[in-house]
Amino acid sequence: MAWALVAGAIGVPGSGRWLGLAALTVGIVGIACVRTRRGGLLLPFVALGCAMLVLLSARIDALEVVRADPQFAEAAARQSAQTIDLELRGFPRSSSDSSGNRSSWVRASAHSERGEMPVVLWFDDDVAPTVSPARSAAISEATPGSRRGESNERPAGPSHSEGALLWGPGTPLRVVGTLVALDPGSSARYGIRIASFEQPRDDLAAGAWGSLRTGTARLAAHLRVGLREAASSIAGAELVPGFAVGDTSLVSARLDSKMQESSLTHLVAVSGANCALVVGAMTALAGWLGVPRRGRLLLGGLALAGFVTVVGPDPSLQRAAVMACVVLLSSFGGKRAIALPGLGLAILVLLVADPWQALQPGFALSVAATAGILLWVPYLTAALGRAVPSPKWVRLPIAVAVAAQFACGPLLLLVQAGFPAAGFIANVLAAPAAPWGTGLGLLAMLAAPVAPMAASALVWLGSLPARWIAATAEVTSALPGARWAWPGGWFGALLLAAVEAAVLVAWWLLERRFGERGAQERPVARAESPVTSGPVPWERKLPRPRRVVVCISGLLCAAIGVFIGPTLVVPTTERLTIPNDWSVVACDVGQGDAFLLRDPQNPGAVMLVDTGDDREMLGSCLDRFGVQRIAILVLTHDDRDHVGALSEVLDRVDQAIVAPNNREDGDARPVLAQLHAAQVPTQIGTRGMADAVGGLSWEVLAPESGVTPPDTNGASLVLRVRAGDISVLMLADTGEDEQLALQRTGVRLEADVLKVAHHGSADHDPGVFAASSAEVALISVGAENSYGHPAPSTIAGLRRSRTAVLRTDQMGAIAVSGAPGALDIWVEDGE
């Protein structure tokens, strides 16, 4: 309850104090009721809840004072460049936009007069180029004064020992950038778009405490860099720094994508498993040396503190450390008296440290995973032992992975729809290997400064489990049906939670009646009570065996029935309704374009024109229409809504045609770089290009060869495609000027199906509608988009040309089959 109230309070600045006053009032009223002999049994719970809310509301109010710093607010309002001193709170993370441009972000805290201001830094990789995970041999360093547009190579000058900047948690920075105010509920109050940065001088760390912090941060950075350097020279060891300290700078973009698809990225982000391993190893070593229990606990705490210092002050690490302590103190849920009260105390401590965690998905997932481990791991470990006799150290990681995945499943649906079947399998397979990679990586990090050869040997050993996990990600991400259909949002989460609850109740009944506990209780239940005559009290509470079997069967049948409905029955039904002889498909990819074309007599040769900007929606469309390979990919132009999901199909494309350069972008073509990196044969399309494959023929009608168009829309490839018996005119994102020029060339524009340009914008020449004389017009457009697409004038022009208008925002995916004059239309969501 306190968690939910805090989550509501932080979204409305100033409401924290009112929440505290309300809690204080309720507490006083509760005490008054006790004095009047009312509600005495509820007093401890009411008092505890009110005390927690008063504490949390006071913390919210204090931090809101810091977040309301007038200097930062004024700088954000001016939108002018500012010089800001700050300290990093994590490792930089890189991502690519739809055009392939890489950018990075990292959490930090800025120094203000009122305290430490939480911020997030945004910068392009040309500001700090070495943070890109695609640089497999790079070291996350940048020289002081690196600026936008300068060379990516480290210039001669300051050596490593002379103060080269080491990117990572605890690194002090002085940045020049623009402040952007973020939502009040965001964990960071401001974002900073960095233009340049430099490392502050050592004299900025005033006082003994500041010098100690700076020295500790530098030592931790050098340890991390030592591990990274050792791993960069050994093939297959790129995951080892991620296992040990969460540093993914060596992980290639391809491996990172496979890890995401197989739900294994949490293994290279410092989590409670890392903290538990550090503490568990230290206490085990201390026990082997004969250290008393209190000494073992002290050494375990010191090891955890050292690990947190090396990895840095990342909020997710602090959360992981606290949760790991709860798991270890409760012996993975074996000590029930400690488990759940300890988890409640951990939640309170973390919310007091940072109340804004209440709205972070990572916080909810961490709590859910810990709760699952505490509640189910003891039973899963025992069940695995009965099913497959094996040592506990083998069963425990598998039980932990299964319990955590089971607990987090409903919450993950709030982030992304679909059931990650491959991710579940991948986590079970990777669970035994991850601790070995983590432990060996940490030992290598400690050995690197004093024994480089030993560190290299340890990294090589750590590369063995790393290769196993990389292979697991590679194989499981390629499995057919890697992600099963399941509704997202709250409905999907509650539905999966109901299925899981039914399974848990059935398991509880099975264990209660027929398990080890039931076997121990049944003989006693049939005996006379030693105190009173007659049977013992719980004999009547346990259902009869027949009723237990009926209950278990009913629950399991209900759970299986509900589960296979969205994952099997609905997808199968949809596939059965889809026409097998489709020639053209307009995929529903939101505000973007993605069209499939083929000859129904040769279904293996498929053309994909554009990809849209949503990988999940594009992948769903390809799966639904049974597209495994793409004979030819056409990227009509480089706009995000046409090429953003390119990475989804790169591994199944045989050849590609792309638009020519334009004056606006010049030679900066990230799309070409992506295709080249994937080794996809690529051609530049211009008017007159024509070819055919497998009954599918096409001709490029525009733009003109030898002319550089002014922008991406002007460079759009206009195609006339024959898919079996159906001809299709595809206008890409051309506007009125391009369409008039196209008509002046005298090329043939007649078609059975017209792909309307630019999502039905108003920038059309009505003459092209008349020239095409199409039976059907397809408009790929996002529902309730902010552009007002499709324009009423465009719809009216198509209707005047007696062309039926089909829109993906109203109908979902649209498939066209049949023959000219007798076209068959299938729609996903018919009106």
Side-chain angles (χ1 to χ4, degrees):
M1 179 62 73
W3 181 359
L5 291 173
V6 167
I10 61 178
V12 183
S15 61
R17 66 190 63 180
W18 296 107
L19 176 63
L21 289 173
L24 183 61
T25 302
V26 171
I28 293 173
V29 170
I31 294 174
C33 289
V34 171
R35 293 178 64 89
T36 60
R37 298 182 180 180
R38 298 177 182 175
L41 294 176
L42 296 177
L43 176 62
F45 303 101
V46 173
L48 182 60
C50 291
M52 288 192 295
L53 286 175
V54 170
L55 177 62
L56 290 170
S57 61
R59 180 62 172 163
I60 292 172
D61 194 54
L63 291 179
E64 282 183 344
V65 172
V66 177
R67 294 165 71 97
D69 188 294
Q71 293 184 351
F72 278 78
E74 183 181 354
R78 288 201 309 266
Q79 291 287 295
S80 58
Q82 304 289 322
T83 301
I84 304 169
D85 289 327
L86 46 82
E87 183 176 299
L88 299 186
R89 286 288 180 263
F91 287 103
R93 305 295 181 187
S94 293
S95 59
S96 298
D97 63 15
S98 58
S99 300
N101 297 314
R102 297 198 67 82
S103 59
S104 302
W105 61 272
V106 61
R107 298 191 184 279
S109 62
H111 306 303
S112 72
E113 295 181 354
R114 296 187 176 186
E116 297 296 317
M117 178 74 69
V119 297
V120 61
L121 310 183
W122 302 316
F123 47 89
D124 295 334
D125 273 4
D126 55 0
V127 176
T130 55
V131 303
S132 171
R135 292 177 170 266
S136 60
I139 298 174
S140 293
E141 298 181 341
T143 52
S146 296
R147 297 178 185 276
R148 186 182 304 274
E150 292 185 0
S151 172
N152 289 349
E153 298 297 328
R154 183 176 176 181
S159 66
H160 180 81
S161 60
E162 293 173 332
L165 183 62
L166 304 176
W167 282 82
T171 300
L173 284 178
R174 172 171 289 171
V175 304
V176 177
T178 305
L179 279 168
V180 179
L182 302 180
D183 186 84
S186 173
S187 58
R189 183 64 186 93
Y190 292 97
I192 303 177
R193 300 188 184 277
I194 297 181
S196 64
F197 66 88
E198 64 180 11
Q199 183 181 18
R201 300 186 309 273
D202 290 340
D203 58 7
L204 292 178
W209 174 246
S211 300
L212 178 62
R213 288 185 61 192
T214 301
T216 303
R218 288 184 177 276
L219 174 61
H222 281 282
L223 287 173
R224 295 192 298 264
V225 169
L227 174 61
R228 195 184 309 126
E229 288 177 334
S232 65
S233 60
I234 297 176
E238 60 268 24
L239 291 175
V240 174
F243 291 151
V245 295
D247 183 358
T248 58
S249 58
L250 300 183
V251 180
S252 66
R254 185 178 185 279
L255 179 55
D256 181 64
S257 175
K258 297 298 182 183
M259 296 279 286
Q260 290 182 18
E261 292 173 11
S262 54
S263 302
L264 292 177
T265 51
H266 65 93
L267 297 179
V268 289
V270 177
S271 64
N274 302 69
C275 300
L277 179 65
V278 170
V279 177
M282 178 56 72
T283 53
L285 177 62
W288 181 73
L289 294 174
V291 178
R293 181 175 179 275
R294 291 184 179 179
R296 295 198 300 269
L297 292 176
L298 177 61
L299 289 175
L302 291 175
L304 182 59
F307 178 68
V308 171
T309 301
V310 170
V311 177
D314 190 287
S316 63
L317 174 60
Q318 297 171 0
R319 180 168 65 241
V322 172
M323 294 301 175
C325 290
V326 174
V327 171
L328 290 171
L329 288 174
S330 66
S331 298
F332 289 88
K335 300 177 181 178
R336 307 307 298 271
I338 297 176
L340 295 183
L343 178 59
L345 180 61
I347 295 173
L348 177 63
V349 169
L350 291 170
L351 289 179
V352 169
D354 181 11
W356 274 259
Q357 292 185 92
L359 286 177
Q360 295 177 16
F363 180 76
L365 290 171
S366 180
V367 172
T370 304
I373 292 170
L374 298 178
L375 291 172
W376 304 321
V377 161
Y379 303 104
L380 286 172
T381 306
L384 287 172
R386 292 195 297 269
V388 182
S390 55
K392 186 177 179 180
W393 60 269
V394 173
R395 292 179 278 128
L396 184 59
I398 297 175
V400 168
V402 172
Q405 287 288 312
F406 196 82
C408 294
L411 292 178
L412 291 173
L413 291 171
L414 298 176
V415 180
Q416 184 181 16
F419 183 79
F424 186 85
I425 297 171
N427 275 275
V428 173
L429 292 175
W436 289 100
T438 301
L440 292 168
L442 289 172
L443 291 175
M445 181 183 67
L446 296 176
V450 294
M453 295 296 292
S456 297
L458 289 168
V459 169
W460 181 84
L461 289 173
S463 70
L464 300 180
R467 291 177 184 180
W468 168 261
I469 291 175
T472 299
E474 186 80 25
V475 172
T476 55
S477 63
L479 289 175
R483 193 172 193 88
W484 297 348
W486 193 273
W490 283 105
F491 173 75
L494 293 174
L495 187 64
L496 183 58
V499 172
E500 293 182 348
V503 172
L504 289 175
V505 173
W507 184 21
W508 178 82
L509 287 173
L510 185 65
E511 288 286 314
R512 182 73 173 172
R513 170 55 70 177
F514 302 108
E516 292 180 357
R517 182 183 301 180
Q520 295 172 0
E521 290 178 349
R522 279 193 298 274
V524 179
R526 288 193 295 268
E528 294 289 320
S529 170
V531 179
T532 62
S533 60
V536 292
W538 61 76
E539 182 182 21
R540 290 185 297 271
K541 295 181 181 179
L542 290 177
R544 296 177 180 176
R546 183 177 298 176
R547 293 180 181 176
V548 172
V549 171
V550 171
C551 290
I552 293 174
S553 302
L555 287 168
L556 291 179
C557 288
I560 293 172
V562 173
F563 185 77
I564 66 174
T567 58
L568 182 62
V569 175
V570 173
T572 302
T573 303
E574 288 181 348
R575 288 190 178 95
L576 290 175
T577 62
I578 293 174
N580 293 324
D581 60 343
W582 61 266
S583 297
V584 185
V585 172
C587 293
D588 181 12
V589 291
Q591 186 70 9
D593 272 10
F595 287 81
L596 299 169
L597 302 102
R598 71 172 189 182
D599 179 1
Q601 302 302 318
N602 192 347
V606 177
M607 171 187 282
L608 172 62
V609 180
D610 293 329
T611 68
D613 187 34
D614 191 309
R615 291 185 55 185
E616 182 181 347
M617 296 181 76
L618 176 63
S620 175
C621 181
L622 296 178
D623 292 341
R624 175 176 294 174
F625 289 92
V627 177
Q628 301 298 325
R629 295 294 303 175
I630 296 171
I632 183 163
L633 168 68
V634 179
L635 301 177
T636 59
H637 59 298
D638 294 4
D639 282 355
R640 174 176 180 171
D641 55 339
H642 291 254
V643 301
L646 175 59
S647 59
E648 177 68 20
V649 296
L650 279 175
D651 59 350
R652 54 175 117 178
V653 174
D654 294 333
Q655 58 177 314
I657 298 177
V658 300
N661 292 352
N662 62 84
R663 291 197 298 270
E664 185 177 65
D665 295 335
D667 295 333
R669 301 288 301 279
V671 166
L672 292 177
Q674 286 182 276
L675 292 168
H676 176 73
Q679 300 181 344
V680 177
T682 304
Q683 293 179 282
I684 302 296
T686 55
R687 187 161 72 91
M689 178 184 290
D691 205 346
V693 58
L696 190 70
S697 61
W698 69 92
E699 179 185 5
V700 179
L701 306 182
E704 185 70 38
S705 176
V707 178
T708 304
D711 53 26
T712 55
N713 286 347
S716 293
L717 297 180
V718 178
L719 303 176
R720 190 172 186 275
V721 183
R722 175 159 291 279
D725 296 330
I726 299 176
S727 60
V728 187
L729 177 62
M730 311 199 72
L731 296 177
D733 269 8
T734 54
E736 182 178 10
D737 293 341
E738 290 79 21
Q739 292 168 13
L740 287 171
L742 177 66
Q743 294 173 73
R744 286 195 295 268
T745 63
V747 297
R748 182 185 175 192
L749 299 180
E750 294 89 350
D752 304 310
V753 177
L754 172 67
K755 182 270 168 187
V756 180
H758 210 168
H759 321 295
S761 74
D763 189 17
H764 275 82
D765 174 51
V768 78
F769 301 152
S772 68
S773 63
E775 296 181 44
V776 172
L778 302 177
I779 302 179
S780 182
V781 61
E784 300 179 358
N785 64 86
S786 59
Y787 305 99
H789 295 162
S793 60
T794 300
I795 300 296
L798 289 166
R799 289 174 176 167
R800 283 195 298 270
S801 300
R802 298 182 179 180
T803 300
V805 178
L806 306 177
R807 302 163 44 172
T808 59
D809 61 333
Q810 295 178 347
M811 302 175 179
I814 303 167
V816 182
S817 57
L823 296 179
D824 294 325
I825 307 298
W826 175 92
V827 297
E828 178 183 6
D829 300 315
E831 291 184 321

